[in-house]
Amino acid sequence: MRVLLRLAAVVIGATLVNAQNSTTGNTTDCANYDMDISNSNIDAVLSCIKNNPDPPIPYYLYILRSYQGALAVPSIVTASQIDYEDSAGLLNLTSLDLPDLEQIVATGFFIYGAAKLSELNAPKLRTIRGSLTLNLVGGPAINLSFPSLEVVESGIYLNGTIDRYELRFLQTDTAKRFSIELPALNSTSAVQIFSTGKLDCNAFAASVVNATPAYNAEDGIGSNTSVICNSKKGNVTTFRPSIVASSRGSKMVSNLLLWSVVVGCLSLVA
Ligand SMILES: *[C@@H]1O[C@H](CO)[C@@H](O)[C@H](O)[C@H]1NC(C)=O
Ligand SMILES: *[C@@H]1O[C@H](CO)[C@@H](O)[C@H](O)[C@H]1NC(C)=O
Ligand SMILES: *[C@@H]1O[C@H](CO)[C@@H](O)[C@H](O)[C@H]1NC(C)=O
Ligand SMILES: *[C@@H]1O[C@H](CO)[C@@H](O)[C@H](O)[C@H]1NC(C)=O
Ligand SMILES: *[C@@H]1O[C@H](CO)[C@@H](O)[C@H](O)[C@H]1NC(C)=O
Ligand SMILES: *[C@@H]1O[C@H](CO)[C@@H](O)[C@H](O)[C@H]1NC(C)=O
Ligand SMILES: *[C@@H]1O[C@H](CO)[C@@H](O)[C@H](O)[C@H]1NC(C)=O
Ligand SMILES: *[C@@H]1O[C@H](CO)[C@@H](O)[C@H](O)[C@H]1NC(C)=O
């Protein structure tokens, strides 16, 4: 009995040491919230996350520049940050799957210089406390669909060959290969898209503008450039008008709901 227990302890100890070495080198272990991800430590990282998916400080996932090929990180529901960057734009990650990710609670989601990325899936991602910053310039066709994404506090910044914005119900064109979809977005400070493709910026801007803060032209409160979309098909800079600005124009209807909320509050106060 005693021998068996000792054996078990040794096995557990050995497992921990392995995870330690292979996770982030010599100084960290599964309890560390910084997770560097490389092709050689990926199994250890995934087992750390699987065994402890919800640590007190959510993981910061750093995909190392040298990463090659596809990457799937299941089990992680809350992350502090996801980061993969290279100024030279020579990154070799080809796909990134985050099937369980629901929220990013610190600085945001950054992919910079990933010119081989053709798939990015985060179907349950609902909230990003920081920004969503993706630079995929020079990359292949990609569908950027964030079907559950509601809130991106510090803004959405995308550069790449994004060819079109697809309205879900407007799927007649068979040539659709590049797209961006943010069907659930209802709150973000700014949206800026710089596309070298033929994205329909008018349609795209119209679809996201109501998620941005209102701009009051009279007192200058807010920003009048909260939505920027540049592509071969159009350059659009726009904003959501505030109640004051809209009361003089036809945009009033779109703000009636907001207006009635304000009136409701006023009458409560009175
Ligand atoms: C882990 O580190 C220890 C000592 O630093 C070393 O002896 C061992 O070979 C390493 N294991 C792995 C899997 O790298
Ligand atoms: C960990 O490894 C790095 C180099 O990879 C070295 O500079 C550092 O001193 C090592 N730290 C410890 C505690 O061994
Ligand atoms: C990506 O792959 C290419 C070709 O294999 C290589 O030259 C380049 O250094 C790789 N990029 C990185 C960041 O490792
Ligand atoms: C996208 O391109 C614009 C214009 O070149 C630049 O100002 C912006 O910083 C770029 N954003 C990203 C996320 O690369
Ligand atoms: C993008 O999504 C559309 C519709 O879901 C699909 O037909 C198309 O093949 C996808 N393109 C890529 C590059 O994945
Ligand atoms: C966004 O919409 C979702 C679902 O409709 C709702 O639960 C959430 O509170 C909304 N967020 C904001 C900031 O309005
Ligand atoms: C934003 O406001 C500035 C200063 O009030 C004005 O010069 C500029 O033309 C406005 N831009 C847009 C897109 O409305
Ligand atoms: C949008 O502006 C860019 C330069 O900022 C220009 O290259 C492009 O042709 C413009 N697109 C349209 C449709 O005017």
Side-chain angles (χ1 to χ4, degrees), residues 135-148:
N135 180 313
L136 311 172
V137 170
I142 186 167
N143 278 338
L144 290 173
S145 178
F146 295 94
S148 307

Side-chain angles (χ1 to χ4, degrees), residues 215 217 220 223-227 236-239:
Y215 171 69
S223 164
N224 67 351
T225 58
S226 54
V227 177
V236 175
T237 298
T238 188
F239 57 88

Side-chain angles (χ1 to χ4, degrees), residues 35-259:
M35 286 286 181
D36 288 354
I37 300 181
S38 68
N39 291 93
S40 50
N41 75 4
I42 181 62
D43 291 344
V45 168
L46 293 183
S47 78
C48 282
I49 292 173
K50 194 172 173 208
N51 295 332
N52 187 17
D54 194 19
I57 298 176
Y59 295 113
Y60 288 72
L61 299 185
Y62 299 106
I63 304 163
L64 296 184
R65 288 179 63 252
S66 56
Y67 198 92
Q68 308 266 341
L71 174 61
V73 187
S75 301
I76 190 161
V77 173
T78 301
S80 287
Q81 176 177 336
I82 294 171
D83 192 283
Y84 181 57
E85 296 187 41
D86 179 39
S87 51
L90 296 172
L91 296 172
N92 291 316
L93 180 73
T94 53
S95 75
L96 177 58
D97 274 291
L98 300 160
D100 301 308
L101 185 68
E102 292 179 15
Q103 50 179 348
I104 297 175
V105 294
T107 43
F109 193 161
F110 306 94
I111 295 185
Y112 213 97
K116 295 205 178 138
L117 193 69
S118 63
E119 265 188 63
L120 174 55
N121 299 311
K124 297 184 187 166
L125 182 58
R126 206 175 58 242
T127 315
I128 299 177
R129 199 102 290 153
S131 70
L132 172 61
T133 302
L134 307 177
N135 180 313
L136 311 172
V137 170
I142 186 167
N143 278 338
L144 290 173
S145 178
F146 295 94
S148 307
L149 193 59
E150 291 173 2
V151 177
V152 185
E153 283 185 5
S154 309
I156 298 175
Y157 305 91
L158 309 177
N159 285 15
T161 315
I162 304 155
D163 249 358
R164 60 174 65 244
Y165 164 70
E166 278 182 43
L167 290 169
R168 300 217 136 192
F169 43 87
L170 203 76
Q171 305 241 335
T172 48
D173 182 353
T174 49
K176 280 174 187 164
R177 292 186 60 230
F178 310 75
S179 69
I180 174 164
E181 286 187 341
L182 298 162
L185 189 70
N186 60 8
S187 176
T188 190
S189 59
V191 180
Q192 297 187 359
I193 311 271
F194 289 84
S195 168
T196 50
K198 293 183 212 136
L199 178 70
D200 181 345
C201 277
N202 286 312
F204 178 77
S207 76
V208 296
V209 72
N210 283 338
T212 62
Y215 171 69
N216 187 326
E218 279 171 11
D219 54 23
I221 291 175
S223 164
N224 67 351
T225 58
S226 54
V227 177
I228 296 176
C229 181
N230 284 10
S231 80
K232 283 186 185 149
K233 269 187 94 175
N235 289 330
V236 175
T237 298
T238 188
F239 57 88
R240 180 164 68 88
S242 74
I243 296 158
V244 174
S246 66
S247 63
R248 286 177 290 154
S250 60
K251 282 156 191 147
M252 192 171 153
V253 174
S254 65
N255 285 302
L256 270 181
L257 188 58
L258 186 58
W259 181 235

